[in-house]
Amino acid sequence: MLIVTKPGISQETFEALLAEIKRQGYTPHVSEGESHTLIGAIGAPPTPELMEHFRALPGVDQVIRISKPHKLASWEVHPEPTVLDFPTGRTGNGHFMVAAGPCGVESREQILAAARYVKRHGAQMLRGGAFKPRTSPYAFQGLGREGLELLAEARAETGLPVVTEVTSPDLVDLVAEYADVLQIGARNAQNFALLKAAGGSGKPVLLKRGMSMTLDEFLMAAEYVLSEGNPQLVLVERGIRTFEKATRFTLDVSAVPVLKAQTHLPIWIDPSHAAGTREYVTPLALAGIAAGADGIIVETHPNPGEAKSDAAQQLPEEAFADLMQAVRRLLPAVDKALAVSA
Amino acid sequence: MLIVTKPGISQETFEALLAEIKRQGYTPHVSEGESHTLIGAIGAPPTPELMEHFRALPGVDQVIRISKPHKLASWEVHPEPTVLDFPTGRTGNGHFMVAAGPCGVESREQILAAARYVKRHGAQMLRGGAFKPRTSPYAFQGLGREGLELLAEARAETGLPVVTEVTSPDLVDLVAEYADVLQIGARNAQNFALLKAAGGSGKPVLLKRGMSMTLDEFLMAAEYVLSEGNPQLVLVERGIRTFEKATRFTLDVSAVPVLKAQTHLPIWIDPSHAAGTREYVTPLALAGIAAGADGIIVETHPNPGEAKSDAAQQLPEEAFADLMQAVRRLLPAVDKALAVSA
Amino acid sequence: MLIVTKPGISQETFEALLAEIKRQGYTPHVSEGESHTLIGAIGAPPTPELMEHFRALPGVDQVIRISKPHKLASWEVHPEPTVLDFPTGRTGNGHFMVAAGPCGVESREQILAAARYVKRHGAQMLRGGAFKPRTSPYAFQGLGREGLELLAEARAETGLPVVTEVTSPDLVDLVAEYADVLQIGARNAQNFALLKAAGGSGKPVLLKRGMSMTLDEFLMAAEYVLSEGNPQLVLVERGIRTFEKATRFTLDVSAVPVLKAQTHLPIWIDPSHAAGTREYVTPLALAGIAAGADGIIVETHPNPGEAKSDAAQQLPEEAFADLMQAVRRLLPAVDKALAVSA
Amino acid sequence: MLIVTKPGISQETFEALLAEIKRQGYTPHVSEGESHTLIGAIGAPPTPELMEHFRALPGVDQVIRISKPHKLASWEVHPEPTVLDFPTGRTGNGHFMVAAGPCGVESREQILAAARYVKRHGAQMLRGGAFKPRTSPYAFQGLGREGLELLAEARAETGLPVVTEVTSPDLVDLVAEYADVLQIGARNAQNFALLKAAGGSGKPVLLKRGMSMTLDEFLMAAEYVLSEGNPQLVLVERGIRTFEKATRFTLDVSAVPVLKAQTHLPIWIDPSHAAGTREYVTPLALAGIAAGADGIIVETHPNPGEAKSDAAQQLPEEAFADLMQAVRRLLPAVDKALAVSA
């Protein structure tokens, strides 16, 4: 931690600051500049509180963190890339997976039809929302438990593991009973009670980046899951909110290499929510893969015109088949392989 | 709702679109342009699903909402400004209130000291967090129930009503037992399960804008609370996330007049979280008031250097006293009055 | 300047780094942390190139500037607030000015009518564009020299000094011949050739913040003007680009106190371009004043429905009169005074 | 153009609006909703002024453009993809090019060394700045004419065409005398005087997106160049400004498919300025290619540690060679081919 003093502070204030640094268990190294003085406070990585504490003291201009605040997600603590195993494939360390399916589970026919064709075209996981977080209370909120049962039925028939969203801590047990992977959505990415509950469920978690979360905050949210003892976590870039409205969100494709430089966790891309319209889904998926992603999660619907949510961004079957073909062509050029679903 | 067709769509596709508009209970009015055709679909305000449904149909380029999606928050449904009454003052329709206190409740001494001086300097409500949503799992998470009890003790002594944050649906009953006003924080502003639970509590709710929420989304989040039958709601602008990092967030002061044009609810400003550093708190508070805010919620701590969260943005007592004096000078110039706390 | 090394660099790399720091004329102060080492490089404020040079060296993780990069705009170099004097008033150090007029000069009748009523309602300066930077090449580009002549005629009649935009270095001489103040617009805020030319003109300059400029960059743009020997400079916050589209731009009202903490230059607010629609102009103007602004520049048009640019944000005369009345009420509450135009 | 009226406007205001629509040469088609009335104004694509004119009229709530404002850049006007031909390769319609070289021309040795190795590793164009737009007036501003002469010498030796930045209209003739392609940088992307001058030069232009430009504005800036009669234009996505600071700018990779859906012009990616640090340059370049880019422009320096600008983002030779190899592997998987420089 580096503490920068304000120009012209008194000797007394400066001495009090040094004393406080020592009292907190740190060793101060002082470097005097022309206008500011730098104090390197050497010791354990500081807690956020401690940094705020120093920032609030008289005479302090800035407190700069040198070490990263996340621990369990870091390469330092876990020098091998994390790989998640599923009956149908693996993700991480060169293994690539595709999760696909409709935005929401809407009926038995719909989810079974989707499950069959996403498997046929090579996906390794089925997605579908039973509990839908919707911006408007007047919008379709999902089938709830019935949706979970339909997902389980689709898994029984196709063998595809199922990922579905959980929106509240008190639903974690219910969703974990049915799902293979718990998804936490962008709007809940800093719902810390939910992160902890999902971390404690024992199920793999797929965590989407909040739409205005920095990558550092994303890693701290990961820390909430990991610190409950759950090492099975996938981070998903799904677009951030910017001034540009030509797409629903701006896919921050740089998140892939930046996160990979800092964490051992698999990084996926969700091109559907970033695009917001189906014609841009495939280019964004390919961009994410070329940047190094370990998987994608894509929305596809047997009949998008009838979809009850996010209709415009769900691919019909043929477009999904085209996407899968493009993915299969691209992967070897970036040294990745797609598992063949049994 | 206006539907814009793609250039050069076939007559067949166009007819199918018209038929679907009618089937959904709308009357189409067609205006043909040079390249696009506009179809005004006249009928009830569309649900989000219905708009998505049309956007996903063949031949459709854009679907444009004409009417606003929020209802209960709108002036159309509620043409009188909402006023909330407390034993110490009112907010809305020209009545101005100040809520003040520390970021987190840390000890009996701390919260009682704060309650006493915020009252003495003219605030009408005490704030203080018992459950703290923190970016890092390794940061101070609040005193929990003990914090609520200390707030209740401070209320008993000073007569100030208490506002405190609730972070999870399963905590709503507990917090509502102690608090006069339930606060929902920026990171939970689209935690829909929490919004509904707070809406159902019967307690007034103070809802902060999410850091990347549009004002339309903010009003839709308000709708979640209001549609549970709870009309006592205050909306708080607390800064949005932008590229500028000189302040912790960018106070969107325009939110005040924009929201007031659309909703009858009281609008407050939180200058402390926007500023992130105490020297900018007063100018931002005054800016919000000049723009038309009905109240402010401000952080102040008897000893900021010892604060366990957000230390740098909490005002010490003297600075808070100066803020109150500046507020008192400003209010009459914008036709507002500060209640005198008994 | 602080240099942070990468974890685990070799002794050899570290020694080479220290040698290079010394070779560049700096004294290194080393503080070893657990994973990183901090090197305070003490000496003259570094040029941007030098910081980039160090950032590119092997073993370097971060290079952190401690001192601010701007000089002439800083309080250190110029400890007294800058005040600009005009025949009709002053701005800076408690003196407040209003510049008002149409977006573009469109005709003799229009600009004379505007000049007369803005003076009558108490403004001290007339604005109006002769050269218009327009997003589209197919939009009205201004009257050019004829517009300048009309502005000069309006000044001759009313006594109001004139501020008008210059869009290219080769127009500086021409515009300076007619105008009292040269305006540099947001889209040219990093047109460095133009900044230098305006700085060299000897005329006061009114520089608008670029729509995605940080405040540090804004101060560096100011430096381009000041370093040509021109001390008469006003900085104008006019809204930044964010995700929120309810207003044309997001007025960053925090810019006022943040800039005032760093520079002696007068800070103004342009509420018209931030709002984009006339109903929000007055609340934003008042917010800026309450935050500490030294002036405002406002668009008003005798007949907004006929305006050739930015029609929706220009106030008609009565609304402008109301704005001036609100400004007059507000100023004393924040210890400012409006000059009385003779 | 669609005009939406305010709720509850009088019959008189409405009639006046219809009369004005007709007076401007448009045919109104009226669709009455519950609260608003929609008026489709059918006729020629409206100028920006005309839309502003209507938006300013009494009773008008919104004016919505249906047709796109750009013309010459659009597929409607130019249904074939534009291809630019150079002695060393082509760009557009499946032809891919790489431009590479240092940020700035610093010396004869430096630029010749760079030219030789970028050619050897397969690039088709040499980049290098002679006039540098720098945020700070105290930073290296480029060698000017001498830099242009050195670029010409490097071209003479290697046969690589040269792209270099022009920063002011009065420099266009000079730069065009030496350069094969004129680059307009992000900070000048709305310097309309410069866009026109470059458009009139007869030389191909490489236009970078402004850091906070929407894609619609980018296409309008293109229109400034094209409307001077210059059809040889390349658009470059180089990262936009967002809240995320892990990279220097956020590469908006979606810009590639979005622009391709709207324009026939070649679209390139600049991964160097987006990344800001060399370790992310290759993943971003590959992402851009996978998304459909027709070329990339990359910074590489024989000795990055000695670079006078943007040192940290310039690749040393070996890293550039690795990038070219990765590009060569990727291109066939997305149906593109790299020209072989003779």
Side-chain angles (χ1 to χ4, degrees), chain C:
Chain C
M1 172 174 45
L2 180 82
I3 295 168
V4 183
T5 65
K6 289 187 176 160
I9 67 166
S10 70
Q11 188 59 26
E12 192 185 5
T13 305
F14 186 69
E15 297 292 348
L17 185 56
L18 289 186
E20 181 61 19
I21 290 169
K22 288 174 195 157
R23 202 179 68 81
Q24 297 283 352
Y26 288 77
T27 308
H29 286 225
V30 177
S31 309
E32 292 196 31
E34 327 78 78
S35 59
H36 301 267
T37 297
L38 313 187
I39 310 174
I42 308 304
T47 61
E49 288 105 323
L50 191 67
M51 293 186 62
E52 288 163 356
H53 169 71
F54 280 115
R55 200 152 66 96
L57 291 183
V60 172
D61 191 48
Q62 301 170 57
V63 178
I64 299 169
R65 175 186 287 288
I66 303 304
S67 52
K68 286 284 177 184
H70 57 280
K71 300 175 188 172
L72 301 174
S74 73
W75 287 109
E76 281 76 18
V77 167
H78 191 295
E80 292 302 312
T82 286
V83 176
L84 271 69
D85 274 290
F86 297 95
T88 53
R90 322 178 73 190
T91 183
N93 202 19
H95 304 281
F96 190 86
M97 280 184 78
V98 177
C103 180
V105 180
E106 294 165 1
S107 71
R108 193 167 178 279
E109 294 66 38
Q110 175 239 25
I111 192 67
L112 287 179
R116 286 169 196 145
Y117 79 72
V118 305
K119 182 178 183 186
R120 191 165 60 240
H121 297 301
Q124 288 83 30
M125 193 180 287
L126 177 66
R127 62 149 290 150
F131 295 93
K132 302 294 306 166
R134 302 304 302 277
T135 306
S136 164
Y138 312 122
F140 173 64
Q141 309 274 327
L143 294 183
R145 180 191 287 265
E146 185 194 341
L148 296 175
E149 285 166 359
L150 295 173
L151 285 167
E153 188 178 340
R155 172 181 49 206
E157 184 186 314
T158 60
L160 292 179
V162 156
V163 56
T164 195
E165 182 161 357
V166 57
T167 55
S168 186
D170 54 336
L171 292 172
V172 165
D173 285 348
L174 174 65
V175 176
E177 197 182 313
Y178 290 91
D180 301 281
V181 180
L182 303 184
Q183 176 179 321
I184 296 181
R187 285 169 188 78
N188 281 315
Q190 291 189 313
N191 180 340
F192 302 119
L194 179 59
L195 292 170
K196 281 190 207 173
S201 73
K203 290 278 181 178
V205 175
L206 190 149
L207 175 61
K208 293 204 178 174
R209 181 184 184 182
M211 66 181 78
S212 63
M213 234 179 188
T214 62
L215 294 173
D216 276 350
E217 290 170 345
F218 196 15
L219 289 168
M220 290 313 295
E223 211 73 6
Y224 267 96
V225 176
L226 298 172
S227 63
E228 297 293 319
N230 189 340
Q232 299 199 82
L233 177 59
V234 171
L235 302 182
V236 185
E237 161 62 33
R238 47 75 76 197
I240 58 173
R241 191 151 257 181
T242 71
F243 66 84
E244 177 59 66
K245 303 299 176 195
T247 42
R248 189 168 172 187
F249 295 96
T250 298
L251 184 75
D252 178 12
V253 77
S254 322
V256 179
V258 172
L259 288 172
K260 287 204 155 285
Q262 294 185 37
T263 185
H264 52 85
L265 297 168
I267 312 297
W268 286 24
I269 285 283
D270 171 353
S272 304
H273 283 87
T277 182
R278 69 179 69 98
E279 68 188 297
Y280 304 135
V281 170
T282 295
L284 295 189
L286 301 181
I289 296 169
D294 301 295
I296 55 173
I297 178 164
V298 181
E299 291 192 354
T300 174
H301 191 288
N303 187 351
E306 296 303 314
K308 292 191 176 166
S309 57
D310 289 351
Q313 77 197 26
Q314 300 191 58
L315 300 177
E317 181 180 350
E318 325 81 78
F320 178 69
D322 291 348
L323 164 65
M324 288 303 296
Q325 198 164 359
V327 168
R328 251 189 275 268
R329 284 186 68 196
L330 185 61
L331 284 170
V334 292
D335 294 317
K336 288 230 162 64
L338 187 68
V340 181
S341 138

Side-chain angles (χ1 to χ4, degrees), chain D residues 304-328:
Chain D
E306 295 303 314
K308 291 192 176 163
S309 57
D310 289 351
Q313 77 197 24
Q314 300 192 57
L315 300 177
E317 181 180 350
E318 326 81 79
F320 178 68
D322 292 346
L323 165 64
M324 289 302 296
Q325 197 166 357
V327 167
R328 251 190 276 267

Side-chain angles (χ1 to χ4, degrees), chain D residues 3 6 25 38 65 94 96 102 108 122 135 145 148 158 170 179 181 195 261-262 268 272 288 291 301 304 324:
Chain D
I3 295 167
K6 289 188 175 161
L38 313 187
R65 176 185 287 286
F96 189 87
R108 194 167 177 277
T135 306
R145 180 192 286 265
L148 296 175
T158 59
D170 55 336
V181 180
L195 292 170
Q262 295 185 37
W268 286 23
S272 303
H301 191 289
M324 289 302 296

Side-chain angles (χ1 to χ4, degrees), chain A residues 53-84:
Chain A
H53 169 71
F54 280 115
R55 198 151 68 94
L57 291 183
V60 173
D61 190 48
Q62 302 170 55
V63 179
I64 298 169
R65 175 185 288 287
I66 304 302
S67 52
K68 287 282 176 183
H70 56 281
K71 300 174 187 172
L72 301 173
S74 73
W75 287 109
E76 282 74 20
V77 167
H78 191 294
E80 293 301 312
T82 287
V83 176
L84 271 68

Side-chain angles (χ1 to χ4, degrees), chain B residues 149-297:
Chain B
E149 285 166 359
L150 294 172
L151 285 166
E153 189 178 340
R155 171 181 50 207
E157 185 187 313
T158 60
L160 293 178
V162 156
V163 55
T164 195
E165 182 161 357
V166 57
T167 54
S168 184
D170 55 336
L171 292 172
V172 166
D173 285 349
L174 174 65
V175 176
E177 197 180 313
Y178 290 91
D180 301 281
V181 180
L182 304 184
Q183 176 180 323
I184 296 181
R187 286 171 186 76
N188 281 314
Q190 290 190 313
N191 179 340
F192 303 118
L194 179 59
L195 292 169
K196 280 190 208 174
S201 71
K203 289 280 179 176
V205 174
L206 190 150
L207 175 61
K208 293 205 178 172
R209 181 183 185 184
M211 64 180 80
S212 64
M213 235 179 185
T214 64
L215 295 173
D216 275 350
E217 289 170 344
F218 195 15
L219 289 168
M220 290 313 295
E223 211 72 6
Y224 267 94
V225 175
L226 298 172
S227 63
E228 296 293 319
N230 188 340
Q232 299 200 83
L233 178 59
V234 170
L235 302 183
V236 185
E237 161 63 30
R238 46 77 75 199
I240 58 174
R241 191 153 256 180
T242 72
F243 66 84
E244 177 59 66
K245 303 297 176 197
T247 43
R248 188 167 172 188
F249 295 95
T250 298
L251 185 76
D252 179 12
V253 76
S254 321
V256 179
V258 172
L259 288 172
K260 287 204 155 285
Q262 294 184 37
T263 185
H264 52 87
L265 297 169
I267 311 298
W268 286 24
I269 287 282
D270 171 353
S272 304
H273 283 87
T277 182
R278 67 180 69 99
E279 67 187 297
Y280 304 136
V281 170
T282 295
L284 295 189
L286 300 181
I289 295 169
D294 301 296
I296 53 173
I297 178 164

Side-chain angles (χ1 to χ4, degrees), chain A residues 107-192:
Chain A
S107 72
R108 195 169 175 276
E109 294 65 38
Q110 176 239 22
I111 193 66
L112 287 180
R116 286 170 196 143
Y117 79 71
V118 305
K119 183 180 181 184
R120 192 166 59 242
H121 298 299
Q124 288 82 31
M125 195 180 284
L126 177 67
R127 64 148 289 150
F131 295 93
K132 302 294 307 165
R134 301 305 302 279
T135 306
S136 162
Y138 312 123
F140 173 64
Q141 308 274 327
L143 294 183
R145 180 192 288 264
E146 185 193 341
L148 297 175
E149 285 166 357
L150 294 173
L151 285 167
E153 189 177 339
R155 171 180 51 204
E157 186 187 312
T158 60
L160 293 178
V162 155
V163 56
T164 196
E165 182 161 356
V166 56
T167 54
S168 184
D170 55 337
L171 291 172
V172 166
D173 284 349
L174 174 65
V175 175
E177 197 181 314
Y178 289 92
D180 301 282
V181 180
L182 303 184
Q183 177 180 320
I184 295 181
R187 286 171 187 77
N188 281 314
Q190 290 189 314
N191 179 340
F192 302 119

